Amino acid sequence: MRRSFVTSVAASTLLLAAACGSSDSPQAPANEGSTKVTVGIIPIVDVAPIYLGKEKGFFASRGIELTMEAGQGGAAIVPGVLSGQFQFGFSNVTSLMIAQSKDVPIKVVANGVASTGKSGADFGAVAVKGDSTIQSAKDLVGKKVAVNTLKNIGDTVIREAVRKAGGDPAGVNFVEMGFPQMPAALAAGQIDAAFAVEPTLSAIKAAGGRPISWVYADVAPNLTVAVYFTAKKLIAENPDLVKRFTEAMNESLTYANGHPDEVRKVLTTYTKIDQKVIDGLTLPVWPTEINKASIETLRTLGEGDGIFEKTPDLTQLLP
């Protein structure tokens, strides 16, 4: 029964497609036609504002016909933005700093999601099985830990948590795995711990697992975790579209922050998460302002871990 339950919970984290609607937002100029825009996203709780903004008409009112397409992580979305497959993308800031360190011509246009800053009440953590001997980040040394993308924000914040707990992060064995696969892999003993964000974190807890390190909250106060970005080519060729997208995204972030019940409701339009899981989710926060100091902290940690080819130039990356 436990295996069946875990499998069903893990399956509930498989995430699907979209929503639409209307609102009283400022109308797009009459002489502008509707512009089709595709955004590369990671279909997790973090991106609820963009789905809510589409449902409320914040994008349509600015002449944007919005479509979302899913990727496993920011590192996979960056090439899609550069190729024109996506006009905009959602990515954690470490992926974008890695790209910028390689002189990839991208730029952040809007905030994405931030940590609550509360250890014990955040939307991301390292979690283990209920009966695991792992009690703190220090115990991750010598263990197999799943992250959704290697050499990225997950292993960066975990390494820092291990260091702060008095362990040697060089001894952690990271493996790459999609968020939806983590609960079942953890239950089967294929991994010892998982870097999980909502709804995967709640799925693990529902199966009897427990968080042992609140890595986002513990690395930097109110950490900016992810942002929306585009190619510099699009900024040069269509600055008006970028402006309209940014305005709609900021309106969506503000609305989501003020309407948590509607955030939980919109999750049912692009996920197959069980309602009980949705009701118990710890939501992140969605400020419109980017916490640049926290990104500088991630840059310093990433440099120490050797994940950048050269120091990322945040003046080129951030607005």
Side-chain angles (χ1 to χ4, degrees), residues 67-196:
T67 300
M68 273 72 79
E69 289 188 13
Q72 180 165 314
I77 292 171
V78 171
V81 170
L82 290 173
S83 70
Q85 175 188 357
F86 310 131
Q87 283 67 55
F88 299 91
F90 175 87
S91 172
N92 73 75
V93 295
T94 297
S95 285
L96 298 186
M97 286 192 288
I98 291 171
Q100 202 289 317
S101 73
K102 298 176 181 178
D103 296 319
V104 174
I106 54 174
K107 196 170 185 70
V108 174
V109 297
N111 204 0
V113 68
S115 164
T116 65
K118 299 175 183 177
S119 185
D122 204 9
F123 75 105
V126 176
V128 300
K129 289 173 64 174
D131 60 358
S132 172
T133 59
I134 299 172
Q135 299 296 324
S136 73
K138 183 178 181 179
D139 299 329
L140 296 174
V141 177
K143 300 298 192 295
K144 187 182 292 186
V145 183
V147 291
N148 67 313
T149 307
L150 291 171
K151 295 185 178 179
N152 213 286
I153 192 168
D155 41 21
T156 292
V157 294
I158 290 170
R159 285 189 180 98
E160 177 65 1
V162 171
R163 274 189 289 263
K164 285 184 173 180
D168 180 2
V172 180
N173 179 19
F174 291 104
V175 296
E176 187 169 283
M177 180 178 294
F179 288 125
Q181 286 73 51
M182 291 180 185
L186 189 62
Q190 296 169 359
I191 54 175
D192 299 302
F195 164 66

Side-chain angles (χ1 to χ4, degrees), residues 214-236:
W214 299 89
V215 287
Y216 283 158
D218 293 344
V219 162
N222 307 115
L223 178 72
T224 291
V225 175
V227 291
Y228 291 88
F229 69 101
T230 192
K232 288 186 175 181
K233 184 175 184 286
L234 183 65
I235 295 174

